Amino acid sequence: MELPYAEPYKIKVVEPLYRSTRQEREKWIKEARYNLFNLRSDHVFVDLLTDSGTGAMSHMQWSEIMLGDESYAGSLSFHKLKDTISELLGMPYFLPTHQGRAAENVLFSALIKENDIVPGNSHFDTTKGHIEYRRARAIDCTIDEACNTSEFHPFKGNIDLQKLEDVFKKYPKEQIPLCIITVTCNTSGGQPVSMQNIKEVTALCRKYGIMPVFDAARFAENAYFIKIREKGYENKTVKEIVKEMFSYVDGATMSSKKDAIVNIGGFIALRDKALYDKACVFNIMYEGFITYGGMAGRDMGALAQGLDEGTEFDYLEARIGQVAYLGDKLRSFGIPIQEPTGGHAVFVDAKKFLPNVPKEQYQAQTLGVELYVEAGVRGVEIGTLLADRNPITRENRYPVLELLRLAIPRRVYTNNHMDYIAVALANIWERRESITKGFHIVSEAPIMRHFTVELERV
Ligand code: F0G
């Protein structure tokens, strides 16, 4: 028999978890105004709010914490990270930032002006927020297949070339400072972009004189999917695939809290010296000097090590294998999810799960609260609350996909936890017909409301 994969590490340190009662959870979620972000983490049993900054570092990464050089300028940890980025991604210029949205803030300050247009594949909410804050507009050019959760398409993160070309034809190139390719595409379900699509999209960008840039938060998981799903890449290493992916773009913003398996950090990687020089000014203003940009030296060391570990095949096979394991369990109960399962999370289709809850009452949020009360499992709504209001009309934007995301932290939970989550959801699935009411908003922020929104049961 062929041996199955298994985690290429063993566990050295554990953190105990408290198993609360349903009664306690009902009280806590009410006190949290039915916003899962407001819960204390010790009131959560399995925390799938995000895979961002929640991974377990290796002993090598913890060693880097002790080796950190905290010099204000030119620290050795900075140079270690610079060398890793230039070798792994082939990008000669880089700026550290404290996390991904900070990289967006710095780069967009150098690039985006009022009325600009930024096409891409389902921009992440902070990305869109930083675009709209500058009174520019993000246009989603993701392929239509991404919106049909039951359709198996191997690369649902792909950009529709026709939609993209329509944008390039409609607006002058002076109004389109960049095109953002998000790898993997978080919002559409942690779905990968194929190498073929990266090549075609960037070729189209070149034809129209537009700069292609990666939102690279989950670039390694994207490369893993290319290796296992795309013809011609089966014998290449993940690191070789990563190098090829980055060879087609001019830059990237990175949230290191995902595929680099650190608890905090980010960076901008660039090919062009002039743009780097321009971005340096904003980095110094918003983040810190160009050799630390909001990160401690020790954190840059751990990040360099994490980039290396996070692009190893055995690790990725176990990591993405665990996400698929949860997806398989849910599918076996008949629970509707975004197919196929993505890199970092399983996305439950809340529209199909709770058809008796009106969309005006936030179906995915309702399912998220149900799951928390049922089992102490915390997911996150990727639906109407996240989609926010139209900045001009202030009307709710109802997205095509209304999802509950179960994001799996890296190297943290076991498959027993996955079984526990699956049974919890199956229990709710059994009684889904009886769930007919959701929530209404009591208060909300003017932008990125989902983090702080307060709700009441209808
Ligand atoms: N881009 C993508 C694709 C992301 O998923 C995130 C964060 C960011 C940018 C921003 O990075 O958090 O370091 O500032 N996603 C987290 C999530 C928050 O839960 O998916 P950040």
Side-chain angles (χ1 to χ4, degrees):
M1 276 196 288
E2 197 185 330
L3 289 170
Y5 71 80
E7 286 71 13
Y9 51 83
K10 56 185 177 177
I11 297 164
K12 197 195 294 252
V13 177
V14 296
E15 248 181 286
L17 296 171
Y18 172 62
R19 292 194 72 171
S20 52
T21 63
R22 176 183 284 266
Q23 227 176 0
E24 284 175 320
R25 293 192 291 273
E26 265 164 6
K27 174 171 166 278
W28 292 332
I29 192 68
K30 189 168 181 213
E31 286 166 2
R33 296 294 192 145
Y34 301 100
N35 181 339
L36 295 153
F37 285 98
N38 286 339
L39 288 168
R40 282 168 55 123
S41 68
D42 59 346
H43 293 170
V44 175
F45 183 55
V46 184
D47 204 347
L48 309 183
L49 184 73
T50 179
D51 63 320
S52 181
T54 53
M57 292 210 295
S58 68
H59 68 322
M60 293 294 285
Q61 287 180 288
W62 282 107
S63 311
E64 286 295 337
I65 295 283
M66 285 309 295
L67 293 173
D69 173 1
E70 305 305 340
S71 306
Y72 190 94
S75 85
L76 297 183
S77 307
F78 168 81
H79 284 288
K80 194 178 277 183
L81 180 55
K82 182 172 167 48
D83 291 347
T84 303
I85 289 172
S86 103
E87 171 149 349
L88 186 69
L89 312 183
M91 288 277 169
Y93 300 101
F94 116 92
L95 282 168
T97 63
H98 78 272
Q99 60 183 83
R101 68 200 70 184
E104 290 163 358
N105 187 31
V106 169
L107 185 65
F108 295 178
S109 295
L111 284 176
I112 300 178
K113 57 186 191 319
E114 195 169 334
N115 291 326
D116 276 354
I117 301 290
V118 184
N121 51 343
S122 308
H123 312 63
F124 182 66
D125 59 335
T126 60
T127 319
K128 199 175 191 165
H130 273 297
I131 293 167
E132 290 178 350
Y133 180 71
R134 290 173 171 78
R135 296 181 183 280
R137 194 149 63 88
I139 298 186
D140 185 2
C141 299
T142 314
I143 55 169
D144 290 338
E145 287 89 336
C147 295
N148 180 357
T149 54
S150 53
E151 181 168 343
F152 268 81
H153 183 296
F155 292 103
K156 273 186 173 174
N158 279 358
I159 289 181
D160 185 317
L161 295 167
Q162 193 54 57
K163 288 186 195 173
L164 185 65
E165 187 153 26
D166 288 348
V167 174
F168 289 169
K169 280 187 176 151
K170 185 162 174 198
Y171 302 96
K173 73 173 194 193
E174 294 70 32
Q175 214 180 323
I176 312 175
L178 75 165
C179 168
I180 300 177
I181 311 172
T182 310
V183 286
T184 59
C185 187
N186 184 1
T187 314
S188 72
Q191 299 292 324
V193 180
S194 70
M195 191 74 89
Q196 178 72 22
N197 192 249
I198 293 171
K199 278 193 219 173
E200 288 169 351
V201 165
T202 52
L204 198 64
C205 286
R206 304 281 172 220
K207 182 174 157 198
Y208 286 86
I210 310 295
M211 182 167 87
V213 168
F214 277 150
D215 174 343
R218 299 179 182 84
F219 73 97
E221 291 172 1
N222 199 97
Y224 170 84
F225 281 118
I226 289 175
K227 180 174 168 71
I228 62 161
R229 291 186 185 165
E230 194 163 350
K231 217 169 153 284
Y233 289 92
E234 48 280 75
N235 296 323
K236 293 213 188 308
T237 65
V238 173
K239 285 184 167 64
E240 285 166 348
I241 294 171
V242 164
K243 194 66 148 293
E244 183 180 339
M245 283 167 62
F246 279 83
S247 72
Y248 299 116
V249 294
D250 289 342
T253 55
M254 173 73 184
S255 167
S256 309
K257 303 167 73 175
K258 283 83 169 173
D259 276 6
I261 331 178
V262 287
N263 305 119
I264 194 72
F267 60 83
I268 300 167
L270 291 170
R271 210 176 284 294
D272 177 47
K273 170 89 165 61
L275 179 55
Y276 165 79
D277 287 340
K278 206 171 164 194
C280 280
V281 178
F282 294 104
N283 215 70
I284 294 168
M285 277 202 307
Y286 296 139
E287 292 296 294
F289 184 60
I290 56 173
T291 63
Y292 74 87
M295 294 182 75
R298 53 183 172 270
D299 289 328
M300 289 189 281
L303 168 52
Q305 176 65 24
L307 282 168
D308 183 41
E309 292 176 16
T311 47
E312 283 297 319
F313 178 80
D314 288 352
Y315 152 73
L316 285 163
E317 185 181 41
R319 188 278 185 288
I320 295 178
Q322 184 173 55
V323 175
Y325 177 87
L326 176 59
D328 292 346
K329 286 265 154 186
L330 296 183
R331 195 179 305 114
S332 75
F333 290 124
I335 295 169
I337 58 172
Q338 171 71 297
E339 300 283 11
T341 45
H344 67 296
V346 176
F347 291 68
V348 182
D349 187 331
K351 271 190 195 170
K352 289 187 188 157
F353 200 118
L354 295 180
N356 297 339
V357 175
K359 72 173 195 297
E360 294 77 11
Q361 296 177 18
Y362 311 106
Q363 292 158 301
Q365 183 68 14
T366 305
L367 184 57
V369 171
E370 283 291 326
L371 180 59
Y372 173 70
V373 172
E374 175 72 26
V377 176
R378 169 159 72 169
V380 74
E381 190 250 25
I382 306 276
T384 310
L385 288 175
L386 178 76
D388 227 307
R389 292 180 188 277
N390 179 308
I392 295 152
T393 66
R394 303 304 300 157
E395 290 296 319
N396 264 334
R397 287 190 279 216
Y398 292 102
V400 184
L401 293 178
E402 179 77 23
L403 306 164
L404 176 68
R405 184 184 76 172
L406 307 173
I408 313 296
R410 294 166 181 80
R411 306 193 287 210
V412 170
Y413 292 112
T414 69
N415 282 3
N416 286 333
H417 290 106
M418 301 303 121
D419 292 341
Y420 176 91
I421 300 156
V423 170
L425 267 172
N427 290 346
I428 304 167
W429 179 243
E430 287 267 291
R431 57 180 164 79
R432 64 188 181 281
E433 296 292 336
S434 66
I435 304 169
T436 55
K437 287 185 181 159
F439 293 91
H440 66 84
I441 293 179
V442 179
S443 80
E444 65 182 288
I447 192 165
M448 291 200 226
R449 64 179 179 181
H450 66 292
F451 289 116
T452 53
V453 70
E454 296 191 348
L455 302 161
E456 234 168 38
R457 283 195 193 275
V458 170

